[in-house]
Amino acid sequence: HTAKALWLVYLILTIAEIGLLYLAGMPFFDALCNSLSTMAAGGFSPHPLSILGYQNNAITWIVTFFMFLAGGNFALQYRLFIQGKPRPLLQNEEFRFYFGVVSLSALFLAIILYFGNSYGIGGSIRDSAFQIISIITTTGFSSADFALWTVPAQVMLFAMMLFGGCAGSAGGGIKIVRILFGVKYLKREISQIIHPNAVIPIKIDHSSVPNDIQRQMIGFMMFYIVLLIISSLAVTIIEGDAEIGIVGTAATLGNVGPGFGEIGPMGSFAGLSALSKLLFIFDMIVGRLELIPFLAMLNPDFWSLARNKSGLENSPSTLRAKTKKAR
């Protein structure tokens, strides 16, 4: 039932975006490809200049809106679009945090673009909203060559690479719910310094987060940061370029896509050495698989248990029992 509901939302949003892009002047084939890439947070476009190449404000805003939806929880959107119940989405703490981060970041970036990059008011609002949402949802589309933006603007985009979409979305990265948990965890630690005997549970959507889930979240974020640091240092040494090392690792580990400079939205990773590409391939795989299963596979006990389980299932007594049951 859940799978059917999610597929229904995904299908409806994809068809709606195809129709709106086509009506806005995009060729049908391009509208189909860009819509599929938007809702899957894939970021590949038939146009070599991505969304920038269409030079159409309506198209840019349509893609912006659907990227924002693609970064949200599809289960909550099912209750909104199919069941007509907006309250679960609006009351969801993760979605409100997601909306707040996107809104404030886009506002600050628009101010930076207006004063630091000679953008007009309309262009700064459009491109700031588009790029913040594109990066935070790990879609990776571009409406401008942000590799040419000032350093403050690029820092804003780099921060968004570490966020990712909501749980239950197609986005990669750390995910908004873990960032929200991290903020609440730090807030609790500060409170307990002041009130050492207080028992302060961490709650998300009015429900206490169990201790085992807390440990998993903290372990995930720590390993994410450690892997980010190690990979960044390795690529920086190989390429002799800290920007490629740090930004490239964040972009690949979060499955964002473009970075800055040589690997910016109008560039590519083609000029990097083979070893750097292998490291980035590893980052993309680990980032897409989620880190907890990957961490489990690094533990020797995992393989011992797997071998023991396999041996037990293939033992003579087990095979006889299976044969008897089949008969």
Side-chain angles (χ1 to χ4, degrees):
H1 177 75
T2 302
K4 182 180 178 181
L6 296 181
W7 271 108
L8 183 60
V9 172
Y10 188 92
L11 184 63
I12 289 174
L13 292 178
T14 302
I15 293 174
E17 185 180 3
I18 292 171
L20 289 174
L21 289 177
Y22 181 72
L23 291 175
M26 183 180 287
F28 178 78
F29 178 76
D30 288 39
L32 173 64
C33 294
N34 283 310
S35 298
L36 292 172
S37 195
T38 299
M39 299 313 302
F44 284 110
S45 173
H47 201 291
L49 297 180
S50 191
I51 304 303
L52 170 64
Y54 296 102
Q55 295 292 314
N56 186 311
N57 286 337
I59 288 174
T60 302
W61 280 113
I62 291 168
V63 175
T64 301
F65 175 73
F66 282 95
M67 281 194 299
F68 178 78
L69 293 180
N73 189 317
F74 280 106
L76 293 174
Q77 292 182 55
Y78 171 80
R79 302 189 69 177
L80 171 65
F81 295 118
I82 307 302
Q83 298 181 342
K85 299 178 180 178
R87 183 173 296 180
L89 179 68
L90 298 177
Q91 292 182 342
N92 182 261
E93 198 169 359
E94 182 190 20
F95 180 79
R96 295 203 306 269
F97 187 70
Y98 169 60
F99 181 80
V101 169
V102 167
S103 301
L104 290 176
S105 300
L107 175 62
F108 287 139
L109 182 57
I111 293 172
I112 293 171
L113 293 179
Y114 181 74
F115 290 102
N117 290 79
S118 301
Y119 267 68
I121 295 178
S124 61
I125 294 174
R126 180 197 64 223
D127 286 341
S128 63
F130 185 96
Q131 291 305 158
I132 287 292
I133 295 174
S134 176
I135 298 299
I136 198 173
T137 60
T138 72
T139 304
F141 279 140
S142 57
S143 64
D145 188 0
F146 52 79
L148 302 177
W149 289 356
T150 58
V151 172
Q154 292 182 356
V155 169
M156 289 289 298
L157 294 181
F158 178 77
M160 295 300 102
M161 291 182 183
L162 304 178
F163 275 73
C166 297
S169 73
I174 294 176
K175 293 288 175 58
I176 293 292
V177 69
R178 293 192 182 100
I179 300 293
L180 176 61
F181 165 78
V183 172
K184 288 177 174 284
Y185 182 85
L186 291 175
K187 181 180 178 181
R188 185 186 69 174
E189 293 303 303
I190 294 172
S191 297
Q192 288 198 311
I193 291 173
I194 302 172
H195 308 286
N197 296 322
V199 177
I200 308 173
I202 297 177
K203 293 185 176 182
I204 295 179
D205 286 332
H206 308 292
S207 299
S208 296
V209 181
N211 290 332
D212 58 332
I213 301 298
Q214 292 186 33
R215 288 194 298 269
Q216 287 184 15
M217 286 189 174
I218 294 172
F220 179 97
M221 289 188 286
M222 289 180 62
F223 184 71
Y224 196 98
I225 294 171
V226 168
L227 185 57
L228 179 67
I229 293 172
I230 293 174
S231 182
S232 297
L233 290 173
V235 176
T236 297
I237 293 171
I238 295 168
E239 299 295 333
D241 190 323
E243 183 178 60
I244 291 177
I246 297 172
V247 178
T249 299
T252 52
L253 188 59
N255 285 269
V256 176
F260 306 144
E262 179 184 345
I263 56 174
M266 302 305 151
S268 73
F269 291 76
L272 303 184
S273 66
L275 187 54
S276 295
K277 290 177 183 177
L278 286 173
L279 286 171
F280 284 154
I281 289 170
F282 173 79
D283 290 339
M284 286 188 289
I285 292 173
V286 173
R288 185 70 276 176
L289 288 177
E290 289 281 354
L291 299 186
I292 299 301
F294 179 77
L295 281 173
M297 289 192 296
L298 293 180
N299 193 323
D301 292 341
F302 173 84
W303 299 104
S304 298
L305 289 171
R307 284 194 298 269
N308 293 337
K309 184 178 180 181
S310 177
L312 181 62
E313 289 179 348
N314 295 322
S315 64
S317 59
T318 304
L319 291 175
R320 284 196 297 271
K322 288 181 178 179
T323 305
K324 183 177 180 181
K325 183 177 180 181
R327 288 175 178 173

